[in-house]
Each structure stands twice: as structure tokens, then as C-alpha cells.
Amino acid sequence: MSKDTVTMINNRTEEKFEFDILDATRGPSVVDISKFYKETGMFTFDEGYTSTASCRSKVTYIDGQQGELRYRGIPIEELAENHNYLETCFLLLRGKLPSADELLDFDYEIRHRSFIDENLKQLIDSFPDNAHPMSILSSGVSALSSFYYEHLKNNDEEAKQEMASRIIAKIPTVAAFAYRKSLGIPIIYPDIERSFTENFLYMLRAYPGGKMKRTLNGVEEIKEIEIKALDTIFTLHADHEQNASTTTVRTVASTGAHPYVAISAGISALWGRAHGGANESVISQLDMIGDVKNVDKYIAKAKDPNDPFRLMGFGHRVYKNFDPRAKALKKLQDQLKNELDLDSHLMEIAHKIEEVALQDEYFVSRNLYPNIDFYSGVILTALKINRPMFTPIFVIGRTVGWITQLMEFRRTPYKITRPRQLYLGK
Ligand code: SDX
């Protein structure tokens, strides 16, 4: 019996089975059960894949117990402090941080690819005024597969990198156009003189003709601190291993579908309030709680097994400790509170929730800590970004992670994702 295997005994039949242990470079090993059904005639069962590794990957590493997150081996705290979002995109896509010249070239390419086809603008215009920007984003990105159909069969590395740069560059424009559409105001085209993150804020805020707001003491330009805050938020959201939306992207990619419709499917999966939609729900929930004196009542509701109410922004499938991104955002909040108009009332309620929950046995025993969505909304509100745009902000940050994971998946011979079931029907 090899020591690099696990043995399973079926006590019903007294049959013995051996399965190989495959070791990770960091984190848990896996038991290779790919031949489990063939050898045992049974399926394994793991609803929600709580103990199942679905793929091999070298992109992102999470240690849920330690509250550790690394992109290509670099801790998220280092990237958020010392690098910008485009550097992080380059790191995820190419496996290393860019040199100064490589960053210049990458930045130049992203700026010049940020425009979208005028016909796509008409698709966005065809949505009802009250359309949620996430519905426009998922539709718009799916439509991009028609404008760039050649990416269905990316033959070489250059074509793959072009496919990735295009989607990273265009999603902020589709998101900004969706926002302007929801307000019924003319869209603002990208400005290639502005950096990735500044350009996004510009497309949200500028007046027709690209003019920034005039106030009594001059033009209200976009502040450096605002650009740094949003750029950090994009970096913190860039990738996160095999979460629900990334698993969706890989699943759609596994059928051989166009990469951009796989990203569109990821956008749809992210929208749910149990996933990326939580950032919008957190702020709505803080509003609903309304005052620190109501916190205890809502904590009790969250603990009540018969009450569907959940504390949005709390808990995580992997982190059984503080989400390191939540820590970074909390630090950012503290840095910003003297520079930006942070909503102190909402922050007061959020801090009270955190204080009560982190001492409450129900949350402590279930390792329920604040996650990334608990803190992002207060900062986005201070950046004058409206709530329906919170999850699109998550999409802009995460697009590089989705496309990187898709490219990794398709680099090796891949199998179509097709799990089985425990049948309980007639
Ligand atoms: C993201 O996976 C990722 O990496 C996602 C993400 C990424 O970057 O891609 O990190 C982004 O999606 C963050 C999570 C945002 N969602 C929320 O904040 C919504 C609120 N959180 C929950 O819905 C929940 O915590 C999940 C969905 C995040 C995790 O759910 P799990 O892992 O399936 O855990 P579970 O539902 O089995 O909960 C375990 C226990 C249950 O109680 P018991 O049945 O043991 O009595 O904890 C309870 C749950 O009822 N619980 C909560 C709770 N979260 C879990 N109770 C109250 N409030 C909560 N928020």
C-alpha cells in the first residue's frame, strides 16, 4: 500500500479502494477521485462543493484559516499598498509584475482599447431607463462576442492576450455607459489622456463635452485620493480562486463557448446577493437598520434559524478568519475619513454590527467575519458612486481574474464540466 494514497473500505461489501494523494505547492493536498465511480460504482456527494477542488490552478491562493490571499504568490496587502490595478492585471495575466516599459505599453494598449462599437451603444440605449446596470453589463459583454467573434478560436498567445486586454479595457466603458443611461444623461466617451481608474470616474462624472463640474471656487477635478481609493478597490477584487462566478466562467468555457459569453455568465453569477451583489445589499441593509439602537434586533434576526434574514457582508465559504481584503478596506476607510465625505452615520452602524457580531457566540462559533463586501459600500458612496453601480465596480475589478482563469483553463486539454447527482426521484 503506497503512502501517497488514501484507502476507502466499503463496509457494506468490505471492498477496499485506493486513491492517489496529489500535493499542492501551498495549502491542502487533494485526493484524486476521478476514477471513483469507475472503481466503486458510487458517486461522491458534496453539495455546494464545500470540500471539492474542481481544477488545478497557479493564479490565486487563499488560506481561509490564516486569512491570507495571494495573486501569483504576492500577498494582496503588498499589491494594494505598492502597486496599481493595471500592474495587478499584468501580474495575473502574465505571471509577473511588469517592468516600467511593459507597464507603459500595457497602459497604452488598455487606454486605446477602451472604446466600444457604436452599435453596442445602441444596444445599451435599447434598455429601459430603470434597467439595473448589471443586466446591461452581462448583455453588453455577451454582445462583445459578436463584435470580436475571432476570439472564439484564439490560436496563439498574442491573440489570447489581445482578447484579455480588450475585455479589461471595454468593461468599464460599458459599465459607465449603463450608468449614464440609467440617469437619462448623455454618455461620456473614454478619455485616453486619463489613467484606467481616473478615466472610469471621468466617464461617470463629466458633463456633456467632457467638462468637469464648475463650482464657485473653480473646476471640481477628480482628486488623486479618489483615484487611489477606487484603484485599490479594483485591485482587492481582481481575483479570488474558484468562487461561484469564476466556477461559472470555467464551466461555460469548458463547453468551447466564446470567452466573452463565459465572462458574461460570470457577471450574471456575481450579481446574486450571496456573492458580489452583497456589496449593494450591505448599504441597503445599513440604511434599513437605520440606527445603532436597532443593531441588536437585527443581529437577533440574523441568528434566528426561522428568519431568512442574513447579515450581508458577513461570512464566507473559505475565510474562517478576517477576509484580508476587508482588513485592507477598513484601513482604507480610516485613511479616507479625513479626506473624503464618508457617511459617518452608516459607518457608526457598521462598526456597531461588527463589534456585537464578533463577540456573539453564534457568529464566533460559525467563524462568521466581515467579508470584502462589508466595507466597500461606504467608500464607494463617498466616491459619489450610486448603489446599483457597486456590483458593476466588482465586475470591473474581477474581469481580469475571470479572463486569467479562463485562459489557464484552456491552456491544457480540458474536459467539459459535467457533475452527476444523487437521484431521489421515482
Ligand atoms: C463574496 O467565494 C468567494 O470567494 C466570494 C467572494 C469573491 O471574492 O469572489 O469572496 C465575494 O461573494 C463574498 C460573500 C458575500 N456574501 C454575503 O456577504 C452574503 C451573506 N453571507 C452568506 O450568505 C454566507 O456567509 C455565504 C454565502 C457568503 C457563505 O455561505 P456558506 O459558506 O454556504 O455558509 P453557510 O450558508 O453554510 O453558513 C454556515 C452557517 C449557517 O448556519 P447553520 O446552518 O450552521 O446554523 O452560518 C450561517 C448559516 O445560517 N451564516 C450566517 C451568515 N452567513 C452564514 N448567518 C447570518 N448571517 C450571515 N451572513
Coordinates of all heavy atoms in Angstrom, one line a residue, residues 62 239-240 243-245 270 273-276 278 302-303 309-320 323 325 362-363 366 368 371-373 394 398, ligand 1:
I62 N -5.6 31.2 -1.5 CA -6.3 31.7 -0.3 C -6.1 30.7 0.8 O -6.2 29.5 0.6 CB -7.8 31.7 -0.5 CG1 -8.2 32.6 -1.7 CG2 -8.5 32.3 0.7 CD1 -9.7 32.5 -2.1
D239 N -9.1 39.0 -8.2 CA -9.3 37.5 -8.4 C -9.5 36.9 -7.0 O -9.2 37.5 -6.0 CB -8.1 36.8 -9.1 CG -8.5 35.4 -9.5 OD1 -9.6 35.3 -10.1 OD2 -7.8 34.5 -9.2
H240 N -10.1 35.7 -7.0 CA -10.4 35.0 -5.7 C -10.6 33.5 -5.9 O -11.5 33.0 -5.3 CB -11.6 35.7 -5.0 CG -11.4 35.7 -3.5 ND1 -12.3 35.0 -2.7 CD2 -10.4 36.2 -2.8 CE1 -11.9 35.2 -1.4 NE2 -10.7 35.9 -1.5
N243 N -14.3 30.8 -6.8 CA -15.6 31.3 -6.3 C -16.7 31.0 -7.3 O -16.4 30.5 -8.4 CB -15.5 32.8 -6.0 CG -15.1 33.5 -7.2 OD1 -16.0 33.8 -8.1 ND2 -13.8 33.8 -7.4
A244 N -17.9 31.3 -6.9 CA -19.1 30.9 -7.7 C -19.0 31.4 -9.1 O -19.3 30.7 -10.1 CB -20.4 31.3 -7.0
S245 N -18.7 32.7 -9.3 CA -18.7 33.3 -10.7 C -17.5 32.8 -11.5 O -17.6 32.5 -12.7 CB -18.7 34.8 -10.6 OG -17.6 35.3 -9.7
L270 N -22.2 36.6 -10.5 CA -21.7 37.5 -9.5 C -22.9 38.4 -8.9 O -22.8 38.8 -7.8 CB -20.6 38.5 -10.0 CG -19.9 39.3 -9.0 CD1 -18.9 38.5 -8.2 CD2 -19.3 40.5 -9.7
R273 N -27.0 38.2 -4.4 CA -26.7 38.9 -3.2 C -25.8 38.0 -2.3 O -25.2 38.5 -1.3 CB -27.9 39.4 -2.5 CG -28.9 38.4 -2.0 CD -30.2 39.0 -1.6 NE -30.1 40.2 -0.7 CZ -30.4 40.1 0.6 NH1 -30.8 38.9 1.1 NH2 -30.3 41.1 1.4
A274 N -25.8 36.7 -2.5 CA -24.9 35.8 -1.7 C -23.5 36.0 -2.2 O -22.6 35.5 -1.5 CB -25.4 34.4 -1.9
H275 N -23.3 36.6 -3.3 CA -22.0 36.7 -3.9 C -21.6 38.2 -4.1 O -21.8 39.0 -3.2 CB -22.0 35.9 -5.3 CG -20.6 35.7 -5.9 ND1 -19.4 36.0 -5.3 CD2 -20.3 35.1 -7.1 CE1 -18.4 35.6 -6.1 NE2 -19.0 35.1 -7.2
G276 N -21.3 38.7 -5.3 CA -20.9 40.1 -5.5 C -22.0 41.1 -5.2 O -21.8 42.2 -4.9
A278 N -23.7 41.3 -2.8 CA -23.8 41.7 -1.4 C -23.3 43.1 -1.1 O -23.8 43.7 -0.2 CB -22.9 40.7 -0.6
A302 N -30.7 37.8 12.4 CA -29.7 37.0 11.7 C -29.4 35.7 12.3 O -29.1 34.7 11.6 CB -28.4 37.8 11.6
K303 N -29.5 35.6 13.6 CA -29.2 34.3 14.3 C -30.4 33.4 14.4 O -30.3 32.2 14.6 CB -28.9 34.7 15.8 CG -27.5 35.4 15.9 CD -27.4 36.1 17.3 CE -27.5 35.2 18.4 NZ -27.3 35.9 19.7
F309 N -33.5 36.3 7.3 CA -32.6 37.5 7.3 C -31.2 37.1 7.5 O -30.9 36.3 8.4 CB -33.0 38.5 8.4 CG -32.1 39.7 8.5 CD1 -32.3 40.8 7.7 CD2 -31.1 39.7 9.4 CE1 -31.5 41.9 7.8 CE2 -30.3 40.8 9.5 CZ -30.4 41.9 8.7
R310 N -30.2 37.5 6.7 CA -28.8 37.3 6.9 C -28.1 38.6 7.0 O -28.5 39.6 6.3 CB -28.3 36.4 5.8 CG -28.6 35.0 6.0 CD -27.6 34.1 5.2 NE -27.7 32.7 5.7 CZ -27.0 31.8 5.2 NH1 -26.1 32.0 4.2 NH2 -27.0 30.5 5.7
L311 N -27.0 38.6 7.7 CA -26.2 39.8 7.8 C -25.3 39.9 6.6 O -24.4 39.2 6.4 CB -25.3 39.7 9.1 CG -25.0 40.9 9.9 CD1 -26.2 41.8 10.1 CD2 -24.3 40.5 11.2
M312 N -25.7 40.8 5.7 CA -25.0 41.0 4.4 C -23.6 41.5 4.7 O -23.4 42.3 5.6 CB -25.7 41.9 3.5 CG -27.1 41.4 3.1 SD -27.3 39.7 2.8 CE -26.5 39.6 1.2
G313 N -22.6 40.9 4.0 CA -21.2 41.3 4.2 C -20.5 40.5 5.3 O -19.4 40.8 5.6
F314 N -21.3 39.6 5.9 CA -20.7 38.7 6.9 C -20.6 37.3 6.4 O -21.6 36.8 5.7 CB -21.5 38.8 8.2 CG -20.9 39.6 9.2 CD1 -20.9 41.0 9.1 CD2 -20.2 39.1 10.3 CE1 -20.3 41.8 10.1 CE2 -19.6 39.9 11.3 CZ -19.7 41.3 11.2
G315 N -19.6 36.6 6.8 CA -19.5 35.1 6.5 C -18.8 34.9 5.1 O -18.8 35.8 4.3
H316 N -18.2 33.8 5.0 CA -17.5 33.4 3.7 C -17.3 31.9 3.7 O -17.0 31.3 4.7 CB -16.2 34.2 3.7 CG -15.6 34.2 2.3 ND1 -14.9 33.2 1.7 CD2 -15.6 35.2 1.4 CE1 -14.5 33.5 0.5 NE2 -15.0 34.7 0.3
R317 N -17.4 31.3 2.5 CA -17.2 29.9 2.3 C -15.8 29.5 2.7 O -15.5 28.5 3.3 CB -17.5 29.5 0.9 CG -17.1 28.1 0.6 CD -17.9 27.1 1.4 NE -19.3 27.1 1.2 CZ -19.9 26.7 0.1 NH1 -19.3 26.2 -0.9 NH2 -21.3 26.8 0.1
V318 N -14.8 30.4 2.4 CA -13.4 30.0 2.6 C -12.8 30.7 3.9 O -12.2 30.0 4.7 CB -12.5 30.4 1.4 CG1 -11.1 30.0 1.6 CG2 -13.1 29.6 0.2
Y319 N -13.0 32.0 4.0 CA -12.4 32.7 5.2 C -13.1 32.3 6.5 O -14.3 32.5 6.6 CB -12.4 34.2 5.0 CG -11.5 34.7 3.9 CD1 -12.0 35.4 2.8 CD2 -10.2 34.4 3.9 CE1 -11.2 35.8 1.8 CE2 -9.3 34.8 2.9 CZ -9.9 35.5 1.8 OH -9.0 35.9 0.8
K320 N -12.4 31.7 7.3 CA -12.9 31.4 8.7 C -12.1 32.3 9.7 O -11.8 31.9 10.8 CB -12.8 29.9 9.0 CG -13.6 29.0 8.0 CD -15.0 29.5 7.9 CE -15.7 28.7 6.7 NZ -17.0 29.4 6.4
D323 N -11.4 38.4 6.4 CA -11.1 38.5 5.0 C -10.0 39.5 4.9 O -10.3 40.7 5.3 CB -12.4 38.9 4.2 CG -12.2 39.0 2.7 OD1 -11.1 39.3 2.3 OD2 -13.2 38.9 2.0
R325 N -9.0 41.2 2.6 CA -9.5 42.4 1.7 C -10.3 43.3 2.6 O -10.3 44.5 2.4 CB -10.2 41.8 0.5 CG -9.5 40.9 -0.3 CD -10.4 40.1 -1.3 NE -11.4 39.4 -0.6 CZ -12.4 38.7 -1.2 NH1 -12.5 38.8 -2.5 NH2 -13.3 38.0 -0.5
Y362 N -22.9 33.0 18.4 CA -23.5 32.4 17.1 C -22.5 32.7 16.0 O -22.2 31.8 15.2 CB -24.8 33.1 16.8 CG -25.4 32.8 15.4 CD1 -26.2 31.7 15.2 CD2 -25.0 33.5 14.3 CE1 -26.7 31.4 14.0 CE2 -25.4 33.2 13.0 CZ -26.3 32.2 12.9 OH -26.8 31.9 11.6
F363 N -21.9 33.9 15.9 CA -21.0 34.3 14.8 C -19.6 33.7 15.0 O -19.0 33.1 14.1 CB -21.0 35.8 14.7 CG -22.2 36.4 14.2 CD1 -23.2 36.8 15.1 CD2 -22.5 36.6 12.8 CE1 -24.4 37.3 14.7 CE2 -23.7 37.1 12.4 CZ -24.7 37.5 13.3
R366 N -19.4 30.0 14.3 CA -19.5 29.7 12.9 C -18.4 30.4 12.1 O -18.4 30.3 10.8 CB -20.9 30.1 12.3 CG -22.0 29.2 12.9 CD -23.4 29.7 12.6 NE -24.5 28.8 13.0 CZ -24.9 28.8 14.3 NH1 -24.3 29.5 15.2 NH2 -25.8 27.9 14.6
L368 N -17.9 33.5 11.5 CA -18.5 34.5 10.6 C -17.9 35.8 10.8 O -18.1 36.4 11.9 CB -20.0 34.6 10.8 CG -20.8 33.3 10.6 CD1 -22.3 33.5 10.8 CD2 -20.6 32.7 9.1
N371 N -16.7 40.3 5.4 CA -16.0 40.0 4.2 C -15.8 41.3 3.4 O -16.2 42.3 3.8 CB -16.8 38.9 3.4 CG -18.2 39.3 3.0 OD1 -18.4 40.4 2.5 ND2 -19.1 38.5 3.3
I372 N -15.3 41.1 2.2 CA -14.9 42.3 1.4 C -16.1 43.2 1.1 O -15.9 44.4 1.1 CB -14.3 41.8 0.0 CG1 -13.7 43.0 -0.8 CG2 -15.3 41.1 -0.8 CD1 -12.9 42.6 -1.9
D373 N -17.3 42.6 1.1 CA -18.4 43.5 0.7 C -18.9 44.3 1.9 O -19.7 45.3 1.7 CB -19.6 42.6 0.2 CG -19.2 41.9 -1.0 OD1 -18.8 42.6 -2.0 OD2 -19.2 40.6 -1.1
F394 N -17.4 45.8 -8.8 CA -16.8 44.5 -8.5 C -16.5 43.8 -9.9 O -15.4 43.2 -10.0 CB -17.9 43.6 -7.7 CG -17.3 42.4 -7.0 CD1 -17.8 42.1 -5.8 CD2 -16.4 41.6 -7.6 CE1 -17.3 41.0 -5.1 CE2 -15.9 40.5 -6.9 CZ -16.4 40.2 -5.7
R398 N -12.9 42.3 -11.1 CA -12.8 40.9 -11.2 C -12.6 40.4 -12.7 O -12.2 39.2 -12.9 CB -14.1 40.2 -10.6 CG -14.1 38.7 -10.6 CD -12.9 38.1 -9.9 NE -12.7 38.5 -8.5 CZ -13.3 38.0 -7.5 NH1 -14.2 37.0 -7.6 NH2 -13.1 38.4 -6.3
Ligands
SDX1 C1 -18.3 37.2 -2.0 O1 -16.5 32.6 -2.6 C2 -15.8 33.8 -2.8 O2 -14.6 33.9 -2.8 C3 -16.8 35.0 -2.9 C4 -16.1 36.4 -2.8 C5 -15.2 36.6 -4.1 O3 -14.3 37.5 -3.9 O4 -15.5 36.1 -5.1 O5 -15.3 36.5 -1.7 C6 -17.1 37.5 -2.8 O6 -19.2 36.7 -2.5 C7 -18.3 37.4 -0.5 C8 -19.5 36.9 0.2 C9 -20.6 38.0 0.0 N1 -21.9 37.5 0.5 C10 -22.5 37.9 1.7 O7 -22.0 38.8 2.4 C11 -23.9 37.4 1.9 C12 -24.0 37.0 3.4 N2 -23.2 35.8 3.6 C13 -23.8 34.5 3.5 O8 -24.9 34.4 2.6 C14 -22.8 33.3 3.5 O9 -21.9 33.6 4.6 C15 -22.0 33.0 2.3 C16 -22.9 32.8 1.1 C17 -21.0 34.1 2.0 C18 -21.3 31.7 2.6 O10 -22.2 30.7 2.7 P1 -21.7 29.2 3.1 O11 -20.3 29.0 3.1 O12 -22.5 28.2 2.2 O13 -22.1 29.0 4.6 P2 -23.5 28.5 5.1 O14 -24.6 29.2 4.4 O15 -23.5 27.0 5.1 O16 -23.5 29.1 6.6 C19 -22.9 28.3 7.7 C20 -23.7 28.8 8.9 C21 -25.2 28.6 8.7 O17 -25.8 28.5 10.0 P3 -26.1 26.9 10.5 O18 -26.9 26.3 9.4 O19 -24.8 26.3 10.7 O20 -26.9 27.1 11.8 O21 -23.5 30.2 9.1 C22 -24.8 30.9 9.0 C23 -25.7 30.0 8.2 O22 -27.0 30.2 8.5 N3 -24.5 32.1 8.2 C24 -25.0 33.3 8.5 C25 -24.4 34.2 7.6 N4 -23.6 33.5 6.8 C26 -23.6 32.2 7.2 N5 -25.9 33.7 9.4 C27 -26.2 35.0 9.5 N6 -25.7 35.9 8.6 C28 -24.8 35.6 7.7 N7 -24.3 36.5 6.9

